[in-house]
Amino acid sequence: MKKEIKILYAEDDITLAFLTRDNLLRAGYIVDHCESGETAIQMADSNHYDIFILDIMLPQTDGFTIAKH
């Protein structure tokens, strides 16, 4: 049985986020998308993710801070 990989994808550029998320879903990944750093931290605290894809320049909290969290 193949393990499903769950990704938290934080990106505030809606067009880029749509394209990237769509391609990840087609590749068989489970993807949760958010548009702000604060939301990314809340989601990371309340869910298990195998991979984080973080935009560096997010509103409220940057990707570096999320990665340290």
Side-chain angles (χ1 to χ4, degrees):
M1 184 171 137
K2 179 182 163 191
K3 180 185 184 302
E4 293 183 328
I5 296 175
K6 189 169 181 181
I7 299 172
L8 175 60
Y9 178 42
E11 172 60 65
D12 61 331
D13 181 319
I14 301 303
T15 303
L16 176 60
F18 174 79
L19 292 171
T20 304
R21 183 175 181 270
D22 187 52
N23 282 304
L24 289 168
L25 290 171
R26 287 181 192 204
Y29 297 102
I30 300 168
V31 181
D32 288 343
H33 170 250
C34 60
E35 298 176 15
S36 74
E38 288 299 316
T39 303
I41 288 174
Q42 291 171 359
M43 292 174 75
D45 285 344
S46 61
N47 297 285
H48 168 79
Y49 293 99
D50 299 295
I51 299 171
F52 293 82
I53 301 174
L54 306 171
D55 183 2
I56 300 304
M57 296 173 48
L58 289 167
Q60 300 169 344
T61 304
D62 64 75
F64 291 119
T65 302
I66 299 165
K68 287 178 187 175
H69 178 77

